[in-house]
Amino acid sequence: TSDEDIANAYVGTDISFAGNRANLSASLAGEGYRIRDYRRQSILPNISLSYAPTDDHALTLGWQAFHNYPAYWYRQTYRREVDGYEVNLGNPDLRPARYNIASLSYIYRSRYAFNVYYYHVRDAFFTQLYQSTDRLELINQITNTDLSRVWMLSASVPVTIADRWFLTFVPSALHERYRTEHWHDLSFDVAGWVYSLNVNSQLRLLSHPRLTFTTDGHYYSGNHQGILKWDKSWGINAGLQLGLLKEEALLISLNVNDVFETATPIGRTR
């Protein structure tokens, strides 16, 4: 067996005040975890404070802490040959990741949203390819990192043109850092900025029957994750949507994904 145990205890409250324009939700969880010889006891606080001074403005401040547990099979001892060169390995020493997430959100007129997030993750786990120094073998194994930290700024801005063309712009900027002292026989400490932009568009070509031309476009600047570097990418999905019969009971859609075949980023190992 995996010889794994998890124990939890929880207490929480939810209150409203300031004439029901403010709400506080708070909880505290205690968690004990054991797998083989590894043990961890944790206190996991969660809090959310929301305040709407007027109908046009809403603020939410939050803090969330939780564990992400690796799947059962990842923690087993196994070796699976993919081909004559690559091999998948299990990792019985894989530890659960501890996530701490702070967030601040502002919503204006229930339409425009602006967000700030901070992620601090201890023992985050993901897979990276490693070229063995002992043999001609490429190792694929999920491992923990000492530290993963992300600052994220994002916004959602809807725009309407002539009551016919509806667009939503979602820009975001992230600063990521990944650090570990012992990854096979290497260590790494990488950091950098990541930028992205998503644009959703719905253009009404006809009103009766309703014919809509839709597009979803994105741009991604690329990023580092450990020794893996993802190249920049962009892509566009397009479609036509026709609504027929009473209350558009019949909906006909034609969609083309990744029109220019550019949406899949390429990962490169340093």
Side-chain angles (χ1 to χ4, degrees):
T1 69
S2 64
D3 193 23
E4 180 182 34
D5 295 298
I6 303 175
N8 300 91
Y10 170 91
V11 62
T13 187
D14 192 294
I15 58 174
S16 297
F17 53 98
N20 287 327
R21 286 195 170 275
N23 179 265
L24 173 66
S25 178
S27 67
L28 193 64
E31 186 172 284
Y33 177 75
R34 181 184 66 85
I35 180 169
R36 302 184 183 92
D37 295 329
Y38 176 80
R39 287 171 171 78
R40 176 184 287 177
Q41 291 78 40
S42 303
I43 299 297
L44 304 173
N46 289 269
I47 186 169
S48 176
L49 175 63
S50 59
Y51 178 54
T54 69
D55 292 340
D56 288 341
H57 305 275
L59 284 165
T60 302
L61 178 66
W63 176 272
Q64 184 181 17
F66 62 90
H67 285 139
N68 182 28
Y69 291 93
Y72 171 81
W73 291 109
Y74 295 161
R75 295 191 296 257
Q76 305 310 302
T77 301
Y78 68 87
R79 175 186 176 91
R80 184 171 67 86
E81 304 283 346
V82 178
D83 49 37
Y85 176 48
E86 184 177 345
V87 59
N88 291 338
L89 298 181
N91 187 353
D93 297 322
L94 201 59
R95 302 180 300 276
R98 161 78 181 244
Y99 281 74
N100 296 287
I101 304 173
S103 61
L104 175 64
S105 300
Y106 169 66
I107 300 176
Y108 177 61
R109 291 187 174 179
S110 301
R111 284 172 52 84
Y112 307 95
F114 304 90
N115 308 288
V116 180
Y117 298 98
Y118 173 68
Y119 294 77
H120 184 282
V121 188
R122 184 178 64 187
D123 292 332
F125 50 85
F126 49 83
T127 183
Q128 298 184 104
L129 295 175
Y130 170 76
Q131 174 61 60
S132 172
T133 57
D134 299 327
R135 63 182 73 180
L136 187 60
E137 187 173 78
L138 190 65
I139 297 174
N140 188 352
Q141 184 183 45
I142 294 178
T143 56
N144 293 105
T145 59
D146 295 334
L147 172 69
S148 300
R149 189 170 62 199
V150 179
W151 282 97
M152 178 178 178
L153 307 173
S154 69
S156 177
V157 181
V159 176
T160 301
I161 301 175
D163 201 29
R164 179 178 294 271
W165 194 6
F166 307 92
L167 301 107
T168 302
F169 296 87
V170 184
S172 65
L174 301 86
H175 186 270
E176 300 179 311
R177 183 186 178 192
Y178 300 95
R179 175 178 60 82
T180 193
E181 295 298 328
H182 303 286
W183 180 69
H184 296 282
D185 59 346
L186 300 175
S187 64
F188 56 80
D189 189 348
V190 296
W193 284 96
V194 182
Y195 306 98
S196 69
L197 175 65
N198 290 270
V199 181
N200 173 267
S201 169
Q202 297 184 29
L203 176 61
R204 189 169 63 240
L205 302 177
L206 294 174
S207 297
H208 304 288
R210 183 180 64 83
L211 178 64
T212 305
F213 176 59
T214 65
T215 57
D216 286 294
H218 81 270
Y219 169 79
Y220 174 67
S221 67
N223 75 320
H224 285 87
Q225 188 180 62
I227 65 168
L228 182 65
K229 181 182 184 299
W230 293 101
D231 289 347
K232 64 182 179 181
S233 65
W234 63 277
I236 296 177
N237 302 329
L240 280 172
Q241 193 174 81
L242 178 63
L244 299 173
L245 303 181
K246 185 178 180 180
E247 297 181 351
E248 298 184 358
L250 176 62
L251 194 64
I252 301 174
S253 298
L254 174 65
N255 298 294
V256 179
N257 293 327
D258 195 8
V259 175
F260 300 101
E261 298 183 349
T262 56
T264 303
I266 298 175
R268 307 176 189 275
T269 301
R270 295 186 293 118

